[in-house]
Amino acid sequence: MDNTNRRKFVMNEEATLLLRGLIIGKVMTIVVIGGLLWWFLRPYTLVRKNAVSSSGQSSNPALISGSTFNSVANVPVGSFNYGGSTAWASIRQLVDSLIQSDRPELQLRYVNPINGIPSSSSGIRMLLNGQLDFAQLSRPLTEEEYTLAKQQGFTLEQRQVGIDGIAVAVNPSLQVPGLTVEQLQQIYLGQITNWKQVGGQDLPITPFSLNPEDADPVIFSTKGDVNKQELGSNVNYVSSTTEALRQVSQTPGGIYYGSARAIVPQCSVKPLPLGNTPNEFVSPYRQPLVTPEQCPRQRNQVNTEAIKNGSYPITTNLFVIIKQNNGKEQEAGEAYANLLLSDQGQQVIEQAGFAGVR
């Protein structure tokens, strides 16, 4: 080989090595950049399932250790109707939206009653009539409801997934330290009619209530203990919690009871401490009390610890009602209950303002 050809060969070999080095360098650069991106973005991917916040409460994402929505087995594929108690509204907003994101095969469709207002009672009626596949209740099933289901050839199972407190709302101008459970009951039975009878100012009491037939939370031991006729003649019936709170905010002696999650964060009313005796009042909110002037920049948060440990005197359980008919309805109800009872479901239920059961 002459010198000219030898130089061309050396130059070609050097060019090949240079080109190969450039290619390897490019590949290594892409690998390094990709690895760095994965490392920095990885935490956000892992905590997405738990990145939720309730009204007036900043989000504090944390990695869930334990069962998640994705780990729940036997989740059916299809679209399923559900509905019931208005106390479940924040669960439907926060928890169910995450379920839909993580388990898109289970399509949840909320259905309002055609006649009447959403409630535990209307939810059961719709379930028995075949309008719902499973229902959400904030009270236990009654013997009558069990019987009606058996007459249709199936049974009902109630699966508890959370605990709600029953809070009392009064006008912010009212000066009273709290009420005992007995005093609250006597107010709604018409036996206590003036706030001075319970340590307040000389002011007539104006109680507001949903119709007991449709009311979700109850202040008596069972729904059968009281009906519309037995309540005091001074009780004013309203169509919704929203209307009741508006009336209380405009009535100096007004009072209303309902789901703690629906009452405690409101700016226009004051949640009142309750107790079994006058010496053991427990607030339904976390101390200190946020005043109307501070709201909505700050909002009162539900005292879930007191509700969970039983020191708060009036609570109600949240149930998923499952139709035991060996069909798709049963599969959907059981899957939904299991999703809420997972570690992830229980954590988000508490972020929605309720106490978990696990």
Side-chain angles (χ1 to χ4, degrees):
M1 182 182 296
D2 59 24
N3 290 335
T4 301
N5 290 334
R6 186 179 293 109
R7 282 195 300 271
K8 287 182 180 180
F9 176 78
V10 172
M11 290 176 64
N12 287 339
E13 187 176 18
E14 290 176 350
T16 300
L17 291 174
L18 178 61
L19 182 59
R20 184 181 300 170
L22 289 173
I23 293 173
I24 293 173
K26 290 280 188 181
V27 171
M28 291 300 295
T29 300
I30 292 171
V31 170
V32 171
I33 293 174
L36 289 172
L37 286 173
W38 176 85
W39 178 258
F40 285 113
L41 294 177
R42 176 174 169 269
Y44 296 97
T45 302
L46 291 173
V47 304
R48 183 195 62 78
K49 296 184 182 68
N50 194 36
V52 298
S53 62
S54 57
S55 177
Q57 189 175 8
S58 61
S59 175
N60 183 22
L63 179 61
I64 297 174
S65 60
S67 58
T68 66
F69 294 147
N70 283 321
S71 68
V72 174
N74 301 320
V75 175
V77 177
S79 178
F80 299 93
N81 295 339
Y82 74 131
S85 172
T86 55
W88 282 71
S90 60
I91 292 179
R92 289 191 283 265
Q93 179 184 5
L94 294 175
V95 188
D96 294 1
S97 61
L98 283 175
I99 291 175
Q100 293 289 254
S101 175
D102 289 359
R103 303 305 297 261
E105 69 271 32
L106 180 69
Q107 291 297 310
L108 301 174
R109 180 172 176 264
Y110 176 75
V111 180
N112 273 312
I114 298 175
N115 298 312
I117 62 174
S119 67
S120 294
S121 297
S122 66
I124 284 296
R125 288 194 296 268
M126 294 172 71
L127 182 66
L128 294 173
N129 292 336
Q131 297 169 287
L132 301 180
D133 297 303
F134 60 90
Q136 301 166 319
L137 266 64
S138 55
R139 62 161 176 82
L141 289 166
T142 66
E143 288 301 322
E144 180 184 5
E145 290 162 347
Y146 279 117
T147 300
L148 289 172
K150 289 180 180 178
Q151 290 173 354
Q152 296 189 35
F154 57 86
T155 59
L156 296 175
E157 178 192 353
Q158 58 181 27
R159 192 87 58 85
Q160 185 183 354
V161 297
I163 310 170
D164 190 14
I166 296 177
V168 171
V170 296
N171 188 280
S173 65
L174 186 70
Q175 298 301 314
V176 63
L179 290 173
T180 66
V181 174
E182 184 180 9
Q183 288 171 337
L184 178 63
Q185 293 171 342
Q186 290 174 340
I187 286 173
Y188 277 89
L189 292 174
Q191 298 168 0
I192 294 177
T193 58
N194 195 296
W195 284 108
K196 69 178 180 181
Q197 295 175 260
V198 291
Q201 57 258 57
D202 186 0
L203 182 68
I205 297 176
T206 306
F208 294 93
S209 174
L210 299 176
N211 189 313
E213 183 179 336
D214 294 318
D216 285 326
V218 292
I219 56 173
F220 299 86
S221 58
T222 67
K223 289 181 74 68
D225 286 346
V226 64
N227 57 44
K228 183 175 181 179
Q229 287 71 36
E230 291 175 330
L231 292 183
S233 59
N234 60 336
V235 174
N236 298 267
Y237 294 97
V238 292
S239 60
S240 67
T241 293
T242 300
E243 173 63 15
L245 296 178
R246 187 182 69 82
Q247 294 283 359
V248 170
S249 70
Q250 298 174 356
T251 308
I255 184 173
Y256 174 74
Y257 69 89
S259 166
R261 179 62 183 81
I263 288 176
V264 169
Q266 300 300 321
C267 297
S268 60
V269 296
K270 179 168 67 176
L272 205 61
L274 297 177
N276 289 313
T277 71
N279 299 322
E280 54 180 12
F281 288 143
V282 179
S283 65
Y285 52 85
R286 296 175 189 165
Q287 298 281 5
L289 176 68
V290 175
T291 65
E293 293 74 27
Q294 296 171 305
C295 195
R297 295 187 305 277
Q298 302 177 54
R299 289 184 184 269
N300 285 306
Q301 302 296 317
V302 176
N303 188 357
T304 53
E305 285 303 313
I307 292 171
K308 194 169 186 176
N309 64 29
S311 61
Y312 189 74
I314 312 183
T315 60
T316 185
N317 295 330
L318 302 178
F319 297 101
V320 176
I321 307 303
I322 303 168
K323 182 185 286 189
Q324 297 288 329
N325 64 350
N326 296 317
K328 280 289 186 180
E329 298 95 336
Q330 179 174 340
E331 290 181 21
E334 290 177 345
Y336 181 70
N338 290 336
L339 287 163
L340 296 184
L341 288 170
S342 68
D343 291 344
Q344 183 179 2
Q346 288 289 286
Q347 187 175 49
V348 186
I349 280 177
E350 297 211 356
Q351 291 184 16
F354 303 95
V357 295
R358 293 185 53 221

